[in-house]
Amino acid sequence: MTQFIKNLPSSGKIVSKRWLLLKLFLSIGVLGYLYTALYRDGKGITFGESLQEVWSWQNAGMILLLVALVPVNWALESWKWQRLAAKATPVSYRDAVRSTLAGLLAGLVLPAQVGEVLGRVGALRSSERIKTVGAVLVSGGIQFYVSLAAGAIGFWALRNKLTMPRGVFDAVYVGLLLLVAAGVAAYGFRKQLANISSSGVWLQKFRHSLLVVSQYTTKELLTASGIGLLRYGVYTLQFVLALRLFEFPLPVSDLVACVAVLLLAKTVLPTLTVFGDLGIRGLTALYVFGQFDMSAGKVVAVSVWVWVLNIVIPVLIGLVILWGYKRRIHAA
């Protein structure tokens, strides 16, 4: 994977010291603001107390269920990725899992979207892996629009509960609808990518990836979208269960709508690091659940809990898997 990244344009600039310092500075800024917002609340129990309250044998069953949903989440993502990548090159499910975790790992150093592309494609054992760049974009695009559509519904469901000026709400909602329309247009014009021709060196290198995008049938895209929707449902279920674990006294319909808005913010707001992702989650959760007068400590505790389960643990598992794979390759 390292050699593959070196061959991509400007990869040296992407991972330069200045870039890493910028990521570190922004991450510290976001987390610092989150810390300030948390302890400025002053009401209810603290973050630490929130975690201590749920960590008991009485909640063991719920905690085990939350943990069990983590591999289900990433198994679905790997399945979706395997099916889409197959349009360019055959990929075993085992390789799809390793490639998915590699993309998650690369997001620790690179911006999330860039890291996903370089990590997934670079981890594949195929001479045709460059063609799968288009498949990565389609996979990410499907998950983006699933979250966008669900988030728009959740945002509308909370329209009378969010303390937001009506003009701002309307502007945001129109923007969401335009993004959804752009996705529909992209689907309709995907076949036109096959006609792209240019003398640009890098466009020519990635032209095969664009051709892959143009070759997906409606059935293939609907199947992948169905898997993406199922994955979104698993993640939402996990988040709602975590909210129930922390005893959020809200109807399930409101919890689902709030989670949809949280995932929407995570989807549309750019994050440069995995810690920036945590900051976005936490700040959005404070705003959304603050409308219901929820304790800031509990809100951030749930956000951190779900983040650790779905990001930190898979990253650690991915490190072990990729380290073992690298050792086998060197030993061969």
Side-chain angles (χ1 to χ4, degrees):
M1 184 174 75
T2 304
Q3 186 61 38
F4 174 78
I5 294 175
K6 288 180 179 179
N7 291 333
L8 288 176
S10 305
S11 59
K13 296 180 181 179
I14 292 176
V15 295
S16 67
K17 291 183 179 179
R18 289 183 180 180
W19 174 251
L20 293 176
L21 288 175
L22 174 62
K23 288 161 63 72
L24 179 62
F25 174 78
L26 292 176
S27 296
I28 292 175
V30 171
L31 293 177
Y33 184 81
L34 177 60
Y35 177 87
T36 302
L38 174 61
Y39 286 95
R40 186 177 58 208
D41 184 292
K43 62 183 179 182
I45 60 178
T46 65
F47 169 75
E49 291 172 337
S50 299
L51 291 177
Q52 290 175 5
E53 277 195 355
V54 302
W55 196 257
S56 65
W57 284 110
Q58 183 180 356
N59 295 324
M62 180 72 79
I63 293 173
L64 288 175
L65 178 57
L66 289 171
V67 173
L69 288 174
V70 175
V72 175
N73 176 21
W74 289 105
L76 288 171
E77 176 59 29
S78 299
W79 183 30
K80 172 162 66 75
W81 163 234
Q82 179 196 22
R83 293 182 67 94
L84 292 171
K87 179 66 72 171
T89 184
V91 178
S92 68
Y93 184 72
R94 184 176 181 178
D95 285 345
V97 172
R98 189 180 67 249
S99 175
T100 299
L101 293 176
L104 187 61
L105 277 170
L108 295 175
V109 180
L110 306 170
Q113 293 73 21
V114 176
E116 182 180 13
V117 173
L118 298 184
R120 289 197 183 196
V121 175
L124 293 177
R125 295 179 294 180
S126 171
S127 60
E128 301 294 324
R129 59 188 176 186
I130 192 66
K131 294 182 180 180
T132 63
V133 170
V136 179
L137 299 178
V138 172
S139 180
I142 286 174
Q143 213 60 51
F144 176 89
Y145 277 102
V146 167
S147 181
L148 186 68
I153 296 173
F155 193 59
W156 178 259
L158 296 176
R159 64 189 181 282
N160 296 323
K161 300 176 182 179
L162 298 177
T163 55
M164 179 182 296
R166 187 65 187 184
V168 175
F169 178 89
D170 291 341
V172 172
Y173 205 74
V174 169
L176 293 176
L177 294 179
L178 289 175
L179 283 174
V180 172
V184 175
Y187 164 77
F189 285 99
R190 73 189 187 283
K191 298 293 185 181
Q192 305 303 318
L193 294 174
N195 301 324
I196 288 181
S197 61
S198 172
S199 58
V201 176
W202 284 106
L203 184 56
Q204 284 297 322
K205 285 182 177 292
F206 286 98
R207 186 170 184 273
H208 292 298
S209 295
L210 297 177
L211 287 175
V212 168
V213 175
S214 70
Q215 292 169 0
Y216 286 112
T217 65
T218 298
K219 181 179 179 181
E220 289 170 336
L221 292 176
L222 286 176
T223 300
S225 297
I227 298 173
L229 183 60
L230 183 59
R231 184 196 172 202
Y232 184 90
V234 168
Y235 194 88
T236 300
L237 173 62
Q238 186 184 47
F239 217 129
V240 170
L241 289 175
L243 292 169
R244 283 298 192 191
L245 179 64
F246 282 83
E247 299 180 346
F248 276 59
L250 296 175
V252 173
S253 58
D254 283 345
L255 291 179
V256 172
C258 288
V259 170
V261 173
L262 293 180
L263 297 181
L264 173 65
K266 172 186 172 297
T267 299
V268 300
L269 296 178
T271 57
L272 295 178
T273 69
V274 67
F275 297 106
D277 176 71
L278 173 61
I280 293 297
R281 290 170 186 252
L283 292 176
T284 307
L286 283 176
Y287 169 73
V288 173
F289 287 104
Q291 314 299 309
F292 299 92
D293 202 33
M294 295 290 101
S295 164
K298 280 193 174 184
V299 169
V300 177
V302 173
S303 299
V304 171
W305 184 272
V306 176
W307 178 76
V308 168
L309 284 177
N310 289 284
I311 302 298
V312 177
I313 293 179
V315 162
L316 295 177
I317 294 174
L319 279 172
V320 174
I321 292 176
L322 293 175
W323 180 71
Y325 171 72
K326 185 177 181 181
R327 288 191 61 183
R328 290 195 301 271
I329 291 297
H330 286 305

Short mmCIF file of all heavy atoms in Angstrom, two decimals, residues 155 159 162-176:
data_model
loop_
_atom_site.label_atom_id
_atom_site.label_comp_id
_atom_site.label_asym_id
_atom_site.label_seq_id
_atom_site.Cartn_x
_atom_site.Cartn_y
_atom_site.Cartn_z
N PHE A 155 -34.22 16.01 10.14
CA PHE A 155 -34.17 17.47 10.31
C PHE A 155 -35.58 18.06 10.22
O PHE A 155 -35.96 18.94 11.00
CB PHE A 155 -33.25 18.06 9.24
CG PHE A 155 -32.88 19.50 9.48
CD1 PHE A 155 -32.21 19.88 10.63
CD2 PHE A 155 -33.19 20.48 8.55
CE1 PHE A 155 -31.86 21.21 10.85
CE2 PHE A 155 -32.85 21.80 8.76
CZ PHE A 155 -32.18 22.17 9.91
N ARG A 159 -38.30 20.02 13.16
CA ARG A 159 -38.40 21.44 12.76
C ARG A 159 -39.03 22.32 13.84
O ARG A 159 -38.70 23.51 13.94
CB ARG A 159 -39.20 21.55 11.46
CG ARG A 159 -40.65 21.11 11.56
CD ARG A 159 -41.29 21.05 10.17
NE ARG A 159 -42.70 20.65 10.22
CZ ARG A 159 -43.12 19.41 10.38
NH1 ARG A 159 -42.23 18.44 10.52
NH2 ARG A 159 -44.41 19.13 10.42
N LEU A 162 -36.18 22.51 17.24
CA LEU A 162 -34.85 23.12 17.18
C LEU A 162 -34.96 24.63 17.31
O LEU A 162 -35.76 25.26 16.62
CB LEU A 162 -34.16 22.76 15.86
CG LEU A 162 -33.89 21.27 15.61
CD1 LEU A 162 -33.28 21.06 14.24
CD2 LEU A 162 -32.98 20.70 16.69
N THR A 163 -34.15 25.21 18.19
CA THR A 163 -34.14 26.67 18.34
C THR A 163 -33.29 27.27 17.22
O THR A 163 -32.14 27.60 17.41
CB THR A 163 -33.58 27.06 19.71
OG1 THR A 163 -32.27 26.48 19.86
CG2 THR A 163 -34.48 26.58 20.82
N MET A 164 -33.91 27.41 16.08
CA MET A 164 -33.22 27.88 14.90
C MET A 164 -34.15 28.84 14.15
O MET A 164 -35.33 28.54 13.97
CB MET A 164 -32.85 26.70 14.00
CG MET A 164 -32.14 27.06 12.71
SD MET A 164 -31.81 25.56 11.71
CE MET A 164 -30.68 24.66 12.79
N PRO A 165 -33.64 30.02 13.76
CA PRO A 165 -34.49 30.95 13.00
C PRO A 165 -35.09 30.27 11.78
O PRO A 165 -34.42 29.45 11.12
CB PRO A 165 -33.51 32.06 12.60
CG PRO A 165 -32.44 32.00 13.62
CD PRO A 165 -32.29 30.56 13.98
N ARG A 166 -36.34 30.59 11.48
CA ARG A 166 -37.03 29.93 10.37
C ARG A 166 -36.29 30.09 9.06
O ARG A 166 -36.22 29.16 8.25
CB ARG A 166 -38.46 30.50 10.24
CG ARG A 166 -39.32 29.77 9.22
CD ARG A 166 -39.59 28.34 9.64
NE ARG A 166 -40.27 27.59 8.61
CZ ARG A 166 -40.69 26.34 8.77
NH1 ARG A 166 -40.48 25.71 9.91
NH2 ARG A 166 -41.30 25.71 7.79
N GLY A 167 -35.72 31.28 8.85
CA GLY A 167 -34.99 31.50 7.61
C GLY A 167 -33.78 30.61 7.47
O GLY A 167 -33.48 30.09 6.39
N VAL A 168 -33.07 30.40 8.59
CA VAL A 168 -31.90 29.52 8.59
C VAL A 168 -32.32 28.08 8.32
O VAL A 168 -31.69 27.37 7.54
CB VAL A 168 -31.14 29.62 9.93
CG1 VAL A 168 -30.00 28.61 9.98
CG2 VAL A 168 -30.62 31.02 10.15
N PHE A 169 -33.40 27.66 9.00
CA PHE A 169 -33.92 26.30 8.79
C PHE A 169 -34.27 26.08 7.33
O PHE A 169 -33.89 25.06 6.73
CB PHE A 169 -35.15 26.06 9.66
CG PHE A 169 -35.77 24.70 9.46
CD1 PHE A 169 -35.34 23.61 10.21
CD2 PHE A 169 -36.77 24.50 8.51
CE1 PHE A 169 -35.90 22.35 10.02
CE2 PHE A 169 -37.33 23.25 8.31
CZ PHE A 169 -36.89 22.18 9.08
N ASP A 170 -34.99 27.03 6.73
CA ASP A 170 -35.40 26.89 5.32
C ASP A 170 -34.19 26.82 4.40
O ASP A 170 -34.16 26.03 3.45
CB ASP A 170 -36.30 28.06 4.92
CG ASP A 170 -37.66 28.00 5.61
OD1 ASP A 170 -38.04 26.92 6.10
OD2 ASP A 170 -38.34 29.05 5.66
N ALA A 171 -33.18 27.66 4.68
CA ALA A 171 -31.98 27.68 3.84
C ALA A 171 -31.24 26.35 3.91
O ALA A 171 -30.80 25.79 2.90
CB ALA A 171 -31.06 28.82 4.26
N VAL A 172 -31.11 25.83 5.13
CA VAL A 172 -30.43 24.53 5.31
C VAL A 172 -31.19 23.43 4.60
O VAL A 172 -30.61 22.59 3.91
CB VAL A 172 -30.26 24.21 6.80
CG1 VAL A 172 -29.74 22.78 6.99
CG2 VAL A 172 -29.32 25.19 7.47
N TYR A 173 -32.52 23.45 4.75
CA TYR A 173 -33.32 22.38 4.16
C TYR A 173 -33.30 22.43 2.64
O TYR A 173 -33.21 21.39 1.98
CB TYR A 173 -34.77 22.45 4.66
CG TYR A 173 -35.46 21.11 4.60
CD1 TYR A 173 -35.15 20.13 5.52
CD2 TYR A 173 -36.38 20.82 3.60
CE1 TYR A 173 -35.75 18.88 5.47
CE2 TYR A 173 -36.98 19.57 3.54
CZ TYR A 173 -36.66 18.61 4.47
OH TYR A 173 -37.24 17.37 4.40
N VAL A 174 -33.34 23.63 2.08
CA VAL A 174 -33.24 23.77 0.63
C VAL A 174 -31.88 23.25 0.15
O VAL A 174 -31.77 22.57 -0.88
CB VAL A 174 -33.44 25.23 0.20
CG1 VAL A 174 -33.06 25.42 -1.27
CG2 VAL A 174 -34.90 25.65 0.41
N GLY A 175 -30.83 23.57 0.93
CA GLY A 175 -29.50 23.07 0.58
C GLY A 175 -29.45 21.55 0.57
O GLY A 175 -28.84 20.94 -0.32
N LEU A 176 -30.09 20.92 1.56
CA LEU A 176 -30.13 19.46 1.62
C LEU A 176 -30.87 18.88 0.41
O LEU A 176 -30.42 17.89 -0.19
CB LEU A 176 -30.81 19.01 2.91
CG LEU A 176 -30.07 19.32 4.21
CD1 LEU A 176 -30.92 18.89 5.41
CD2 LEU A 176 -28.72 18.63 4.25
#
